[in-house]
Amino acid sequence: QKYKAQVRIIPIHVMASKEVLEKRFLERVESVKNSDRKISNLSLDVFWKLYEKFSQKLGYGKTIDTSEISVAETLEKVNSYIN
């Protein structure tokens, strides 16, 4: 006997305003300058090109704006969608 799994897929897009995204990116770049940590991209131009590439793939699903909420609040919202 064969069974088909019933799986529900819920795309969740975690977003922020462009101003907040740029500020967070520049803070990440600054934080690695004087540390042993590395990030794959240090260019703001490349950051925006990647943003444009991946933001075009947004379609249906839930969107969470993280511009003014904490990581804990973001996680709470994600859990509310999947539970």
Side-chain angles (χ1 to χ4, degrees), residues 13-69:
H13 311 287
V14 180
M15 304 296 295
S17 69
K18 286 187 173 185
E19 294 81 13
V20 169
L21 291 174
E22 184 168 313
K23 179 179 180 257
R24 290 175 182 170
F25 173 77
L26 294 173
E27 287 172 351
R28 270 194 310 280
V29 169
E30 194 61 35
S31 74
V32 298
K33 282 185 179 177
N34 298 320
S35 74
D36 294 335
R37 296 181 309 127
K38 294 183 180 183
I39 58 175
S40 60
N41 173 41
L42 299 171
S43 165
L44 189 56
D45 287 336
V46 172
F47 173 80
W48 287 121
K49 286 178 185 172
L50 290 169
Y51 172 84
E52 290 303 322
K53 178 181 177 181
F54 291 104
S55 65
Q56 292 175 9
K57 294 183 179 182
L58 295 179
Y60 69 98
K62 304 288 186 181
T63 300
I64 300 171
D65 183 350
T66 65
S67 297
E68 297 182 14
I69 63 174

